């Protein structure tokens, strides 16, 4: 069963997402989360997790947001590239 997911970006300073299962990792430059639709990487500067609700599956991120990318379980090489960048 795939849960619905919504992403709202407000002036590249605040992001709200639903359908989030867990926070896989975070720094001020990259936040990675596991969602009902795959892994998500959010990149930017000075980012902070304002709120995360495991029960509600919601996360709110504040900071300068530059990009957001999905990485599905079937992406193979892209997923490997993502993880190798993360582990640097």
């Amino acid at each position: 069963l795939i849960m619905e997911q919504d992403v709202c970006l407000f002036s590249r300073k605040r992001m709200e997402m639903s359908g989030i299962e867990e926070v896989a990792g975070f720094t001020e430059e990259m936040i990675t989360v596991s969602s009902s639709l795959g892994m998500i990487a959010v990149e930017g500067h000075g980012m902070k997790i304002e709120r995360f609700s495991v029960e509600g599956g919601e996360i709110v991120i504040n900071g300068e947001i530059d990009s957001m990318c999905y990485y599905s379980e079937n992406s193979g090489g892209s997923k490997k590239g993502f993880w190798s960048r993360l582990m640097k």
Side-chain angles (χ1 to χ4, degrees), residues 17-65:
M17 292 189 280
S18 64
I20 304 303
E21 298 166 351
E22 70 176 334
V23 175
F26 64 92
T27 67
E28 288 190 353
E29 289 81 34
M30 180 184 283
I31 297 174
T32 56
V33 296
S34 173
S35 79
S36 56
L37 299 177
M39 293 297 291
I40 300 172
V42 180
E43 294 184 357
H45 302 284
M47 295 190 303
K48 296 185 183 338
I49 297 174
E50 177 183 308
R51 184 177 66 236
F52 173 57
S53 168
V54 175
E55 298 82 22
E58 298 172 340
I59 191 168
V60 176
I61 299 169
N62 288 319
E64 183 180 325
I65 299 166

